């Protein structure tokens, strides 16, 4: 409740809901310190829930208004949320869940719920870049529609590279998911709703992501066989 009240206060002071979401994201990250100090699984899970709430609220808030009320504020807030959620994810992957815990013993033994934090970081990064593209490309144009696909596909490519470098299956699986989303965006939405050079870039970006993903997955499987 305190985190929500703080977020609402910042929203009222700034007049921007995205600012409130950035504060809420920071509050969620702050809970990780309490979860460690108190050895509380409940506080840890609550921090996941809050970041997930920020992800969902940001997506709904900016779904039909990519730049928000103020493009600069929106981009800054989304960049902040993305960074905080990513630090949150990294911290949770370095600290084992507190034991004993009903949730982490019976429901989520491998702490897979923390992937919500990574997804929250990626969603905020996409929304921030989308807001920038919306301003730079003049609104709801074919270029803007396809720019979103380029952002998704290049994001998938970067995730594949990071997963391979860190040898982390969780990030690899998220990269596969993002690639599938990119494919659906390109071949269901862009192919029938855009044309010209923007569409070429959209398809090309998916080709890059798919090719890189194929190479990395192939190397990954060979490495597992050799091990």
């Amino acid at each position: 409740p305190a985190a929500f009240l703080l977020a609402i206060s910042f929203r009222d002071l700034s007049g921007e809901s995205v600012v409130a979401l950035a504060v809420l994201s920071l509050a969620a990250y702050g809970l990780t310190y309490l979860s460690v100090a108190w050895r509380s699984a409940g506080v840890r899970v609550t921090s996941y829930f809050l970041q997930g709430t920020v992800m969902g609220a940001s997506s709904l808030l900016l779904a039909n208004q990519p730049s928000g009320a103020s493009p600069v504020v929106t981009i800054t807030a989304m960049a902040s949320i993305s960074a905080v959620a990513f630090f949150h994810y990294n911290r949770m992957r370095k600290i084992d869940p507190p034991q004993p815990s009903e949730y982490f013993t019976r429901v989520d033994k491998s702490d897979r719920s923390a992937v919500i934090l990574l997804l929250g970081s990626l969603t905020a990064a996409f929304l921030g870049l989308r807001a920038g593209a919306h301003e730079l490309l003049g609104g709801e144009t074919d270029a803007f529609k396809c720019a979103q696909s380029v952002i998704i596909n290049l994001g998938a490519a970067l995730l594949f590279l990071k997963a391979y470098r860190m040898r982390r299956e969780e990030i690899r699986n998220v990269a596969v998911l993002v690639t599938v989303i990119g494919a659906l965006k390109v071949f269901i939405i862009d192919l029938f709703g855009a044309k010209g050079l923007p569409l070429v870039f959209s398809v090309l970006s998916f080709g890059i992501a798919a090719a890189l993903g194929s190479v990395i997955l192939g190397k990954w499987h060979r490495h597992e066989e050799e091990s």
Side-chain angles (χ1 to χ4, degrees):
F4 280 106
L5 288 174
L6 181 63
I8 291 172
S9 298
F10 271 87
R11 182 199 64 185
D12 292 339
L13 287 172
S14 65
E16 292 281 356
S17 296
V18 289
V19 174
L21 292 175
V23 173
L24 195 60
S25 176
L26 192 59
Y29 180 64
L31 287 177
T32 64
Y33 291 90
L34 293 180
S35 71
V36 173
W38 297 345
R39 297 181 181 178
S40 171
V43 174
R44 183 177 177 124
V45 174
T46 299
S47 75
Y48 296 174
F49 168 76
L50 284 179
Q51 290 290 12
T53 300
V54 171
M55 175 177 65
S58 299
S59 300
L60 291 174
L61 184 64
L62 300 175
N64 296 320
Q65 192 176 5
S67 302
S70 170
V72 174
V73 174
T74 298
I75 294 170
T76 302
M78 290 302 108
S80 172
I81 293 171
S82 179
V84 170
F86 187 73
F87 286 136
H88 194 165
Y89 170 73
N90 272 343
R91 180 174 171 77
M92 292 299 91
R93 279 295 170 252
K94 294 176 182 177
I95 301 174
D96 293 330
Q99 298 295 340
S101 162
E102 285 291 319
Y103 179 80
F104 290 110
T105 299
R106 296 187 177 184
V107 179
D108 187 7
K109 295 180 180 179
S110 301
D111 191 20
R112 296 187 186 280
S113 304
V115 76
I116 293 172
L117 308 175
L118 178 59
L119 294 175
S121 176
L122 294 173
T123 300
F126 168 73
L127 291 173
L129 291 169
R130 177 174 177 256
H134 187 263
E135 286 302 299
L136 289 173
L137 299 174
E140 301 293 331
T141 61
D142 284 353
F144 171 65
K145 293 176 184 177
C146 294
Q148 295 176 75
S149 302
V150 173
I151 293 169
I152 293 170
N153 292 323
L154 294 184
L158 291 175
L159 282 171
F160 273 121
L161 290 172
K162 187 172 183 63
Y164 186 72
R165 183 174 65 84
M166 298 180 68
R167 306 302 302 175
R168 189 175 292 180
E169 291 185 5
E170 185 173 65
I171 297 178
R172 179 201 66 188
N173 294 339
V174 171
V176 172
L177 173 63
V178 175
T179 304
V180 171
I181 293 172
L184 294 175
K185 176 69 168 61
V186 171
F187 295 108
I188 293 181
I189 298 177
D190 294 353
L191 204 59
F192 297 101
K195 57 186 177 181
L197 197 58
L199 181 58
V200 172
F201 281 115
S202 176
V203 175
L204 179 62
S205 68
F206 173 74
I208 292 172
L212 183 60
S214 178
V215 171
I216 288 178
L217 289 175
K219 289 184 176 181
W220 200 300
H221 290 316
R222 284 197 296 272
H223 179 77
E224 289 180 343
E225 291 174 356
E226 291 172 359
S227 301

